[in-house]
DNA sequence: AACTGTGAAACCTTTCACAGCT
DNA sequence: AGCTGTGAAAGGTTTCACAGTT
């Protein structure tokens, strides 16, 4: 799975004795909440008022025990014998994910991938959308993409607000520098699409999406299947 | 996690008593091998002959104990007191991932994202590259993208070969049908970029990359940080 | 009866720490 | 000395199965 959250960032607070409610939802659960949310939105669009763990689990592609355990971490508001109230659950999950008050998303790197991300419908649907596009290439500055005007990366500090999320879609060679500049500008959550390992200071969350790694993992499974087939006849 | 090859192929072989033919490499390890491989290629390009677990781990962004444990699953060939032979390890990992004999990659959906993927340098670097582009829109058929000619999706069976990997970069609404067609054509490994849950028969490996989910996970962490800051004063 | 919420078991992953090789 | 390989401990995740609620 994704390890997501960058390394040594358990600095938040020392194991203080007077720690308050530490509901602390597990990472694995967090990673599934967006999937549940999407399924719930679909159900709501279909006019469903309530849904059972069984039905929601199927729509989300997980099993129902896992779904119930996940929701129980949120303090869950299902009704035994009935199921979950769709609208209520949407509210709960959105709130948990912090989608209620949208934070801005700043994308750096307007090459092929950056353009694709800027135009990606999935973002806009609920809660999150890209608010600013930046690039180091002055030839691209001023260009209009998906309703946004590309600005120069030197304007970074002007477009970053408290709680911004940074998205890096630059070539690998530029990624670490862009990352450093994002961090310097106050960004503490970064999504990296460049195929390189980034280093961030403690307290900064870093996730990565690496397209070629995904393909290589599939290559492994494909390879293993082939080996099994040919070797099984022994 | 990912559903992988349904229960069907867990541990086909009985625990062989004698020669320790290595027992299946854990999923978590597989997911990191491509990262190690990239770091190793970088080291090789720099002329390094050997590397310690400490140094390689740092380049890959993991800790050294994890790296050593991961490599030990491959039957690892390090030398105590010295480290790992870079070229040898590249060979080992490539072979484990099945990159030695490239399998073809077929991409369906040549919208913004599909174009970005087709031009994505990361793929080509080592072992894997996209071999065919397909789209349902006849207006796009014939177009040249990154040296490939877009073909109509009805040609699917002509471009799929045994061991092909399918990549879905269509809108969500079309994804399941495309997936079904890929499966029907014999594809057993699929990477899905469409923001929707796909259903595949047992024996087919499915991985997904969902851009908006990644952002929502970061939104959660950002949100939590904000809450901690404002609420910590109690 | 239908369905949720949850302890407990099973399983997987990471980290530790050190034996053992070069 | 330096470094790998690995049991064992610690921690996290999934699944089971059923008590408890409507």
């Amino acid at each position: 799975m994704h390890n997501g959250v960058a390394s040594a960032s358990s600095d938040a607070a020392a194991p203080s004795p007077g720690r308050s409610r530490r509901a602390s939802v597990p990472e694995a659960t967090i990673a599934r909440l967006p999937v549940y949310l999407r399924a719930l939105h679909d159900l709501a669009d279909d006019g469903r008022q309530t849904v059972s763990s069984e039905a929601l689990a199927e729509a989300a592609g997980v099993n129902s025990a896992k779904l119930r355990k996940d929701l129980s971490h949120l303090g869950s508001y299902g009704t035994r014998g009935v199921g979950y109230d769709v609208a209520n659950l949407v509210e709960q999950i959105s709130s948990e994910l912090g989608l209620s008050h949208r934070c801005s998303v700043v994308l750096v790197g307007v090459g092929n991938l950056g353009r694709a991300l800027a135009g990606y419908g999935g973002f806009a649907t609920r809660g999150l959308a890209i608010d600013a596009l930046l690039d180091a290439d002055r030839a691209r500055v001023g260009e209009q993409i998906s309703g946004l005007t590309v600005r120069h990366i030197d304007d970074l500090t002007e477009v970053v607000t408290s709680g911004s999320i940074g998205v890096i879609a630059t070539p690998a060679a530029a990624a670490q520098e862009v990352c450093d500049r994002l961090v310097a500008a106050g960004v503490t959550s970064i999504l990296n699409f460049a195929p390189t390992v980034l280093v961030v200071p403690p307290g900064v969350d870093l996730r990565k999406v690496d397209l070629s790694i995904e393909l290589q993992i599939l290559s492994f499974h494909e390879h293993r299947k082939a080996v099994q087939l040919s070797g099984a006849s022994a």
Side-chain angles (χ1 to χ4, degrees), chain A:
Chain A
M1 72 173 293
H2 287 117
N3 80 356
V5 183
S7 53
S9 52
S10 45
D11 53 89
S16 59
R19 57 164 169 206
S20 15
R21 67 297 201 192
R22 195 156 200 272
S24 161
V25 182
E27 268 304 304
T29 294
I30 297 299
R32 285 184 293 265
L33 292 182
V35 181
Y36 302 156
L37 190 54
R38 182 143 65 210
L40 285 164
H41 275 130
D42 290 348
L43 288 166
D45 290 349
D46 287 357
R48 292 287 300 266
Q49 301 263 317
T50 62
V51 66
S52 70
S53 63
E54 197 70 49
L56 180 53
E58 176 168 357
V62 304
N63 76 43
S64 63
K66 191 188 281 184
L67 179 117
R68 288 200 301 279
K69 175 80 59 167
D70 281 343
L71 295 185
S72 77
H73 289 300
L74 310 187
S76 175
Y77 284 95
T79 309
R80 293 175 197 225
V82 179
Y84 299 90
D85 181 84
V86 173
N88 183 19
L89 206 44
V90 164
E91 199 44 52
Q92 293 280 320
I93 295 178
S94 297
S95 152
E96 185 68 33
L97 290 174
L99 300 176
S100 308
H101 27 340
R102 272 180 76 253
C103 49
S104 78
V105 178
V106 174
L107 187 151
V108 183
V110 193
N112 272 320
L113 181 58
R115 269 164 233 268
L117 294 174
Y120 185 61
F123 286 148
T125 36
R126 328 275 177 184
L128 288 166
I130 290 172
D131 300 285
L133 301 178
L134 301 174
D135 203 290
D137 183 353
R138 293 206 179 270
R140 282 175 177 156
V141 170
E143 195 178 332
Q144 292 281 324
I145 299 176
S146 300
L148 293 170
T149 304
V150 177
R151 304 182 60 170
H152 191 266
I153 191 167
D154 288 346
D155 295 346
L156 189 62
T157 52
E158 293 168 38
V159 300
V160 167
T161 60
S162 164
S164 289
I165 293 174
V167 178
I168 298 176
T170 66
Q176 183 65 61
E177 196 206 318
V178 166
C179 178
D180 293 343
R181 293 181 73 167
L182 284 168
V183 171
V187 173
T188 57
S189 293
I190 295 174
L191 180 54
N192 176 37
F193 285 92
T196 189
V197 174
L198 295 182
V199 178
V200 294
V204 175
D205 281 325
L206 175 66
R207 291 186 69 82
K208 72 159 190 267
V209 173
D210 193 316
L211 315 177
S212 71
I213 283 178
E214 297 297 326
L215 271 191
Q216 288 178 40
I217 293 171
L218 281 177
S219 168
F220 165 81
H221 289 295
E222 197 58 41
H223 176 58
R224 187 175 54 179
K225 273 179 270 192
V227 167
Q228 269 180 9
L229 278 177
S230 66
S233 48

